[in-house]
Amino acid sequence: MGEPAERRPRQLFTPQFILLYGFIGLIAVGSVLLYLPISDAAGRDTSPVVALFTATSAVTVTGHTAVSTAQHWSYFGQAVIFVLMLVGGLGFMAAATFVLLLIGQKATSISHQLVLRETIGGDQLGDLRKIAVRIVTVVFIIYVLGAVILFPSIQEITGFGMMESMWQSLFLSVSSFNNAGFSILPEISDARSLAILDNQWVIQSAMAVLIIVGCIGWTVLVDINQRKRFSRLSLDTKLVLIGSVALWVLGFGVYLLASFLSVGNENDLSLLSRSGEAMFHSISGRTAGFIIADFGAAEDFTKLVFTFLMLIGGGSGSVAGGIKVNTLMVVVAAVVSSIRARPQTEAFGREIPQTQVFRALAIGALALAFIMITVPVLTITEAASLRSGEMHFLDLFFDTVSAFATNGSSTGIVPQLGTSGQLIFIGAMLLGRIGPLTLALALAPQEKFLYRFAQERVRIG
């Protein structure tokens, strides 16, 4: 008799697929609930595609909407959206942290394992339950604090009673921290989802802080809390902080410059008002998708820059989407090291493993490939709207990247998309949410190869 065949784990139950199954199951339940007449403010059946689109947007904390969240959905429908974005955001943050643990376990260096243990706050997989409880506890405290800060101002500008104002405050707090972009505040009939918050600096500041805390990631928060000083922070935390600040400054500068160059109704705004609006959109426009101004009327240059910012997104293990700031900073470090003729990638006196550099390049390249395929397909499905002038190519490009980056910033074209276009956006949101994390886990080194091929140089440049 021959030797028994080696048993291998079933590929359908790897962590990558389990994460996908969880998202699909949550989206399915949410879609059914949103389809019911009880979820519609008028008591009618909602279109199945709209229900699926909204559920996917909520679970992936994207914030794209095919219908008005404040006007179309009843309190029950709004509650369903609230639960979906709560579970989708918080659950993803916990899952992403565990994946980082799994990847970190592949490190053979004792120093790497010590950094992992100190940063995550647990002894690798043995303390997953403790880590999960800690994440949920801290995040719920942040939700409540955010709601308490938002409550007085929301009650003042809306005139709602106490219970309605509490619901509005809690919804906006959770949506802000989860970088979800959903709002049920009364809407003004224009393309600005949060036009009611014009010059409401207390609310904008509170939302900005919640967005920042949510988008930098749990591991970074723990590292900052434990080590206090920048010089003692891990390399990962340093790269996230420097990259985030640089992107916020870039977004702020571009938006502020565009506000001075544009010719419109906002020319009479003071420098302080312009700066406040620019800072809010720089923070929200990269990861959360809350809009006070009309991005549909923004300058083309502004749309292009913010498209790049959305694609980058937030930090690894955070509720934000995109290819992640960590990915960008690893690529930047590789470029700088190459320019300096270094034989390896270096940053802050530390060497970044080549496997991580290759992983960062793979994530960035695949994200660009997806967009380069998806946008042309959408130009075919939405050809009629593009030809008639109802929709512009740059707006379609902007919103497509926003969907893939699970950002939610929009030029207002989503309700105009046909069924095919909305289904493509659904796929983009789901893939954009779990894609980078799944790819990072799939590319994590599983084994050491005992051989290497012979080297041969290739001409570059």
Side-chain angles (χ1 to χ4, degrees):
M1 295 180 62
E3 296 183 0
E6 180 183 356
R7 297 188 63 182
R8 297 181 180 179
R10 299 190 64 177
Q11 295 299 314
L12 293 179
F13 295 98
T14 59
Q16 302 98 304
F17 279 100
I18 293 175
L19 183 63
L20 176 62
Y21 300 151
F23 269 85
I24 292 177
L26 193 58
I27 290 171
V29 173
S31 300
V32 172
L33 292 176
L34 291 176
Y35 173 74
L36 299 175
I38 191 176
S39 296
D40 188 284
R44 298 168 298 189
D45 290 338
T46 299
S47 164
V49 176
V50 171
L52 176 62
F53 187 96
T54 305
T56 305
S57 182
V59 172
T60 60
V61 292
T62 301
H64 270 315
T65 55
V67 293
S68 168
T69 308
Q71 299 173 3
H72 179 86
W73 303 109
S74 64
Y75 282 115
F76 179 82
Q78 293 174 4
V80 171
I81 295 173
F82 177 84
V83 173
L84 291 178
M85 70 177 181
L86 176 67
V87 177
L90 184 56
F92 183 84
M93 174 182 272
T97 301
F98 298 160
V99 168
L100 293 177
L101 273 170
L102 290 171
I103 295 176
Q105 277 201 320
K106 307 299 182 182
T108 57
S109 168
I110 296 179
S111 61
H112 285 179
Q113 294 182 5
L114 288 175
V115 169
L116 174 70
R117 183 180 305 177
E118 292 179 9
T119 303
I120 297 294
D123 186 12
Q124 299 185 0
L125 295 182
D127 287 332
L128 287 184
R129 181 176 299 177
K130 182 174 68 175
I131 296 171
V133 171
R134 185 179 301 165
I135 292 175
V136 172
T137 302
V138 172
V139 171
F140 267 90
I141 291 174
I142 294 174
Y143 288 156
V144 174
L145 288 176
V148 170
I149 295 173
L150 292 170
F151 174 79
S153 297
I154 286 181
Q155 188 175 38
E156 179 182 353
I157 65 174
T158 61
F160 288 143
M162 178 172 291
M163 295 303 296
E164 177 68 18
S165 297
M166 289 175 60
W167 169 234
Q168 293 276 354
S169 302
L170 183 61
F171 191 102
L172 191 59
S173 177
V174 172
S175 184
S176 297
F177 179 86
N178 285 4
N179 286 225
F182 281 97
S183 170
I184 54 174
L185 288 170
E187 296 180 357
I188 299 175
S189 57
D190 58 17
R192 302 181 292 169
S193 63
L194 287 177
I196 193 174
L197 297 186
D198 270 343
N199 298 316
Q200 298 296 326
W201 305 120
V202 173
I203 299 180
Q204 291 184 29
S205 299
M207 291 174 63
V209 172
L210 289 169
I211 293 169
I212 290 173
V213 175
C215 79
I216 62 176
W218 173 257
T219 57
V220 174
L221 294 175
V222 172
D223 197 26
I224 293 174
N225 179 64
Q226 291 182 346
R227 305 192 184 189
K228 314 295 183 186
R229 298 164 62 179
F230 184 83
S231 60
R232 298 171 58 189
L233 297 176
S234 67
L235 176 61
D236 181 75
T237 301
K238 290 178 181 178
L239 293 178
V240 171
L241 293 179
I242 291 178
S244 297
V245 171
L247 293 174
W248 287 326
V249 171
L250 174 61
F252 171 80
V254 168
Y255 195 97
L256 185 62
L257 177 63
S259 72
F260 281 103
L261 297 178
S262 63
V263 179
N265 296 327
E266 297 180 340
N267 273 350
D268 58 344
L269 291 177
S270 66
L271 177 61
L272 180 61
S273 296
R274 293 175 190 265
S275 300
E277 186 177 287
M279 181 56 68
F280 179 83
H281 282 98
S282 177
I283 294 172
S284 173
R286 197 179 101 237
T287 59
F290 291 107
I291 299 175
I292 295 176
D294 181 4
F295 259 104
E299 300 291 332
D300 289 349
F301 177 68
T302 305
K303 293 178 185 177
L304 284 173
V305 172
F306 272 81
T307 299
F308 164 76
L309 295 177
M310 290 188 300
L311 181 61
I312 301 303
S316 296
S318 72
V319 293
I323 65 173
K324 309 302 182 188
V325 178
N326 315 58
T327 303
L328 172 67
M329 294 305 291
V330 168
V331 173
V332 170
V335 172
V336 172
S337 297
S338 179
I339 293 175
R340 297 176 62 192
R342 298 289 188 182
Q344 60 279 322
T345 302
E346 301 172 351
F348 293 100
R350 295 289 186 271
E351 179 181 339
I352 301 176
Q354 284 297 103
T355 54
Q356 290 192 312
V357 177
F358 296 151
R359 193 180 306 155
L361 291 172
I363 291 174
L366 290 175
L368 291 176
F370 175 81
I371 293 169
M372 291 174 64
I373 294 173
T374 305
V375 173
V377 172
L378 282 168
T379 61
I380 297 174
T381 62
E382 309 304 318
S385 296
L386 289 169
R387 283 196 298 266
S388 65
E390 297 177 4
M391 188 182 299
H392 300 287
F393 173 79
L394 185 55
D395 293 345
L396 183 63
F397 179 68
F398 181 94
D399 279 45
T400 303
V401 174
S402 177
F404 176 74
T406 65
N407 179 282
S409 294
S410 178
T411 57
I413 68 167
V414 174
Q416 303 174 28
L417 293 173
T419 300
S420 298
Q422 291 189 8
L423 291 175
I424 292 174
F425 265 51
I426 289 171
M429 289 187 287
L430 183 58
L431 181 61
R433 186 58 173 162
I434 66 174
L437 180 64
T438 302
L439 184 60
L441 182 58
L443 295 179
Q446 303 294 326
E447 58 180 327
K448 291 185 177 181
F449 293 96
L450 301 179
Y451 65 90
R452 295 176 63 177
F453 292 107
Q455 290 187 352
E456 183 173 351
R457 293 186 176 276
V458 177
R459 289 184 295 273
I460 297 176

